[in-house]
């Protein structure tokens, strides 16, 4: 079936090396409300990556390959001459809009049955899970055309103001201590039965693909961290979202002073992939580049608290399958759209989707529903935050996801056979059953071994 032509392919500022912020600006200039970047994602048929690369080169394209970089840590900003960028681990590629237009490549074109290409799809903007829900809530109360542009404009302004906001909003350190210190661990860790577990995640690589991490956070001093940026900005987290999710999945067993335990895989190997910019926004190719890197490094657990609303995207499905084939498991947030369907990439059948629970173990009101595999604590979750705040309590399926990822690392430690699909099944088989539909909580509340 023919697909809808992308309206963005005529813009010249959508080359493969164009930065996230430049793409956002271009979307504003063309008054676009589609959340498309103007570039394309090509998904190759399984096992046809090299044939696909040759196909692109036959059409005169300059093709960059992630395998040309150490550990496939692709540096998008260094690819100024590339028309296409290939992510070989996951079988997909980014096509610059200008290069595609010159060759009449679009989502409208039919793909020949003998082509190594499975599909050609628009590249979309991607957001920290909580950011997209904020946009949807705002759109529900506004009818003026162009509202999405105001949302995109906000991302461009956010990087300039977020440091100030971090100091002026949220819980203070003292307030949070008073809420939870009496228990010695956060409510989420207790609900998942983490404190009694003898497992630490030692020897297990956990990749967190998010807004980066506060590399100087005092709770992680001396902890080896492998990091890479895919958005052209330093890994150092200015936004906060990535530091929070990493803290839950991999934080310390005994934080200093009276701070409660908030981390699960306290001896796991941390891999931080910055796929979201400091404003919390990004594009699909940056996310795919991070997924490709995590799989190339054989991270047994890949945690993704990000996404957007829309149908299943072939590139994410292929990435999820590549992960499973290589003994990795991608775990992603379902989304924070109350009453809405699970968003991408969590809606792909090869990616484990996580819903959010409140402290009474009821589904959170904001948690998306539909394709849900498992649930985790997501309401009022305490974890690490960039300095000087250091700690913060926030909510969302973004917070539920690293609970599942952290527990997955503990389970993976118990047996080298618990990888990929076997790990997926173990997480579901051992989950605490809850009296709610599977479309809300999946198999139930994740539990530590």
């Amino acid at each position: 079936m023919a697909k809808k032509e992308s309206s963005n392919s005529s813009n010249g500022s959508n080359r493969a090396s164009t930065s996230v912020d430049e793409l956002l600006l271009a979307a504003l200039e063309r008054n676009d409300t589609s959340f498309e970047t103007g570039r394309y994602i090509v998904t190759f048929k399984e096992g046809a990556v090299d044939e696909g690369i040759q196909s692109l080169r036959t059409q005169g394209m300059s093709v960059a390959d992630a395998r040309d970089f150490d550990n496939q840590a692709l540096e998008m900003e260094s690819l100024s001459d590339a028309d296409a960028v290939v992510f070989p681990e996951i079988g997909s590629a980014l096509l610059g809009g200008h290069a595609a237009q010159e060759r009449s490549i679009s989502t409208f074109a039919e793909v020949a049955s003998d082509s190594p290409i499975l599909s050609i799809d628009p590249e979309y903007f991607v957001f920290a899970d909580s950011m997209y829900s904020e946009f949807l809530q705002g759109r529900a109360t506004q009818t003026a055309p162009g509202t999405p542009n105001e949302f995109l404009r906000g991302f461009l302004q956010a990087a300039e103001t977020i440091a100030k906001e971090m100091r002026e909003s949220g819980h203070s350190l003292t307030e949070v201590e008073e809420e939870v210190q009496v228990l010695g661990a956060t409510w989420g860790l207790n609900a998942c039965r983490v404190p009694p577990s003898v497992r630490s995640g030692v020897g297990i690589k956990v990749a967190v693909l998010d807004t980066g991490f506060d590399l100087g956070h005092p709770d992680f001093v001396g902890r080896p961290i492998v990091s890479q940026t895919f958005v052209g900005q330093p890994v150092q987290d200015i936004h906060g979202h990535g530091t929070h999710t990493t803290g839950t999945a991999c934080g310390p067993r005994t934080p200093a002073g009276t701070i409660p335990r908030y981390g699960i895989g306290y001896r796991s190997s941390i891999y931080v992939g910055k796929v979201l910019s400091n404003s919390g926004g990004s594009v699909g190719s940056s996310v795919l580049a991070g997924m490709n890197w995590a799989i190339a490094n054989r991270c047994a657990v890949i945690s993704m608290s990000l996404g957007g609303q829309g149908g299943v995207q072939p590139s994410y499905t292929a990435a999820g399958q590549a992960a499973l084939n290589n003994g990795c498991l991608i775990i992603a947030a379902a989304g924070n759209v109350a009453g809405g369907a699970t968003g991408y990439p969590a809606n792909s059948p090869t990616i484990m989707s996580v819903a959010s629970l409140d402290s009474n173990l009821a589904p959170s009101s904001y948690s998306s529903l539909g394709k849900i595999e498992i649930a985790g604590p997501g309401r009022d979750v305490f974890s690490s935050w960039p300095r000087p705040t250091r700690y913060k309590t926030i909510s969302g399926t973004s917070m539920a996801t690293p609970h599942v990822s952290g527990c997955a690392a503990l389970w993976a430690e118990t047996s080298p056979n618990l990888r990929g699909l076997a790990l997926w099944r173990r997480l579901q088989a051992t989950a605490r059953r809850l009296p709610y539909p599977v479309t809300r909580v999946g198999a139930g509340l994740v539990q530590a071994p």
Side-chain angles (χ1 to χ4, degrees):
M1 180 182 295
K3 298 181 179 179
K4 175 179 68 68
E5 176 93 45
S6 170
S7 61
N8 304 331
S9 59
S10 63
N11 192 286
S13 59
N14 49 24
R15 300 182 184 276
S17 60
T18 304
S19 72
V20 172
D21 285 352
E22 288 173 324
L23 289 166
L24 287 166
L25 280 170
L28 290 170
E29 289 172 359
R30 63 177 178 260
N31 196 34
D32 184 19
T33 61
S34 69
F35 285 103
E36 296 178 13
T37 68
R39 306 189 299 189
Y40 299 91
I41 299 295
V42 170
T43 304
F44 301 120
K45 294 175 181 176
E46 189 167 1
V49 171
D50 290 335
E51 185 181 356
I53 292 173
Q54 184 58 41
S55 173
L56 296 177
R57 287 177 173 158
T58 298
Q59 298 181 66
M61 291 194 194
S62 171
V63 181
D65 190 328
R67 288 172 291 194
D68 295 333
F69 294 78
D70 289 341
N71 297 314
Q72 299 199 33
L74 192 66
E75 298 175 359
M76 301 291 283
E77 65 274 13
S78 68
L79 306 176
S80 58
D81 296 329
D83 297 314
V85 183
V86 175
F87 312 117
E89 295 290 330
I90 60 177
S92 63
L94 167 70
L95 294 189
H98 182 68
Q101 183 185 32
E102 286 182 333
R103 295 159 179 84
S104 300
I105 297 173
S106 73
T107 57
F108 184 78
E110 294 286 354
V111 177
S113 60
D114 60 348
S115 170
I117 295 174
L118 177 67
S119 69
I120 302 172
D121 303 280
E123 180 191 41
Y124 292 95
F125 291 106
V126 180
F127 309 101
D129 193 55
S130 59
M131 309 297 273
Y132 194 85
S133 65
E134 289 172 6
F135 158 68
L136 289 176
Q137 291 166 6
R139 185 170 68 175
T141 60
Q142 299 183 44
T143 57
T147 298
N149 285 348
E150 295 307 311
F151 180 61
L152 297 178
R153 194 183 305 279
F155 275 106
L156 297 178
Q157 297 169 346
E160 302 175 3
T161 62
I162 197 158
K164 179 180 177 182
E165 293 174 356
M166 282 165 48
R167 291 166 173 78
E168 295 178 350
S169 66
H171 295 275
S172 71
L173 176 59
T174 302
E175 289 171 337
V176 175
E177 285 182 14
E178 291 174 351
E179 291 175 1
V180 294
Q181 68 177 355
V182 294
L183 297 179
T186 62
W187 81 262
L189 266 62
N190 283 318
C192 297
R193 298 188 58 79
V194 171
S197 177
V198 298
R199 303 297 178 175
S200 64
V202 63
I204 304 302
K205 296 178 181 180
V206 178
V208 181
L209 307 182
D210 211 298
T211 62
F213 184 71
D214 179 5
L215 298 171
H217 197 287
D219 285 356
F220 293 80
V221 171
R223 187 88 175 268
I225 297 176
V226 178
S227 63
Q228 179 64 35
T229 182
F230 300 95
V231 293
Q233 298 173 348
V235 170
Q236 181 63 32
D237 185 17
I238 294 177
H239 184 280
H241 196 266
T243 299
H244 197 278
T245 55
T246 303
T248 298
C250 307
R253 184 182 188 184
T254 54
T258 58
I259 299 300
R261 179 180 177 184
Y262 58 85
I264 299 174
Y266 60 90
R267 295 184 65 193
S268 60
S269 299
I270 303 173
Y271 281 67
V272 173
K274 183 162 185 162
V275 301
L276 299 175
S277 72
N278 290 328
S279 60
S282 189
V283 292
S285 59
S286 291
V287 176
L288 291 169
M291 298 167 85
N292 187 83
W293 169 76
I295 296 170
N297 283 277
R298 298 301 184 259
C299 295
V301 180
I302 303 171
S303 189
M304 300 175 61
S305 294
L306 52 82
Q309 287 301 111
V312 175
Q313 297 189 17
S315 57
Y316 290 132
T317 299
Q321 188 61 58
L324 295 174
N325 292 346
N326 286 285
C328 308
L329 176 60
I330 299 176
I331 301 169
N336 301 328
V337 184
T342 298
Y344 59 78
N347 58 7
S348 283
T350 55
I351 293 176
M352 177 172 261
S353 174
V354 183
S356 172
L357 300 176
D358 292 350
S359 58
N360 62 359
L361 304 189
S364 301
S365 58
Y366 51 76
S367 191
S368 297
L369 51 85
K371 179 193 171 288
I372 302 294
E373 271 74 50
I374 202 164
R379 176 85 70 177
D380 296 332
V381 174
F382 172 85
S383 187
S384 48
W385 198 259
R387 293 161 295 162
T389 305
R390 294 178 58 186
Y391 306 99
K392 195 169 185 180
T393 299
I394 55 178
S395 302
T397 55
S398 283
M399 288 58 257
T401 299
H403 279 92
V404 176
S405 301
C407 288
L410 303 191
W411 277 109
E413 180 196 344
T414 67
S415 171
N417 295 321
L418 286 181
R419 298 291 186 273
L421 188 58
L423 181 56
W424 178 318
R425 289 171 175 165
R426 180 61 61 90
L427 289 168
Q428 287 191 305
T430 58
R432 177 179 172 180
R433 301 299 183 256
L434 299 172
Y436 301 100
V438 293
T439 54
R440 298 301 308 275
V441 300
L445 171 62
V446 67
Q447 299 286 278

